[in-house]
């Protein structure tokens, strides 16, 4: 029994990266050093670019609701024009028809 529990725990720990939150991403962008994410009424978020110049921003902490962000790519010379990005974060609704069925 102990081996089974250890095996299950090992599988769960190894698969944990698959449970990561959604990420805001883009294609590689040559020369980009950072990104600025803006939403009206919220402080700007500056995040460094990945090695290939793309963005990979973890959206786990984003509040539930509808959002309209603008994202700018930046380097030492300045930033691009903002690119709008709208999305809605919502949780699933309650379960329906939960029951036990026979084999």
């Amino acid at each position: 029994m102990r081996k089974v529990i250890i095996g299950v725990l090992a599988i769960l720990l190894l698969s944990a990266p698959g449970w990561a939150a959604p990420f805001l991403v883009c294609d590689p962008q040559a020369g980009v050093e950072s990104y600025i994410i803006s939403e009206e009424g919220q402080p700007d978020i500056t995040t460094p670019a990945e090695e290939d110049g793309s963005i990979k921003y973890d959206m786990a902490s984003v509040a539930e609701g509808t959002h309209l962000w603008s994202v700018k790519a930046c380097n030492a010379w300045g930033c691009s024009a903002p690119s709008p990005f709208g999305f809605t974060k919502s949780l699933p609704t309650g379960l329906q028809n939960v029951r036990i069925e026979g084999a």
Side-chain angles (χ1 to χ4, degrees):
M1 181 66 171
R2 189 170 132 184
K3 288 182 182 180
V4 171
I5 292 172
I6 291 172
V8 169
L9 288 175
I11 290 170
L12 291 175
L13 290 174
L14 291 174
S15 64
W19 297 339
F23 293 94
L24 174 66
V25 297
C26 74
D27 293 339
Q29 308 290 316
V32 174
E33 298 169 0
S34 64
Y35 288 87
I36 298 175
I37 301 168
S38 301
E39 181 174 22
E40 188 175 321
Q42 302 295 322
D44 287 351
I45 300 166
T46 301
T47 185
E50 299 291 306
E51 286 185 28
D52 63 1
S54 64
I55 186 174
K56 185 173 183 183
Y57 179 72
D58 188 344
M59 298 175 68
S61 63
V62 175
E64 202 174 334
T66 300
H67 301 271
L68 180 57
W69 287 1
S70 65
V71 182
K72 296 185 230 175
C74 304
N75 65 17
W77 294 97
C79 296
S80 68
S83 295
F85 175 72
F87 65 98
T88 300
K89 179 180 179 181
S90 62
L91 300 176
T93 60
L95 299 174
Q96 297 179 3
N97 302 320
V98 178
R99 62 189 173 276
I100 297 174
E101 288 187 1

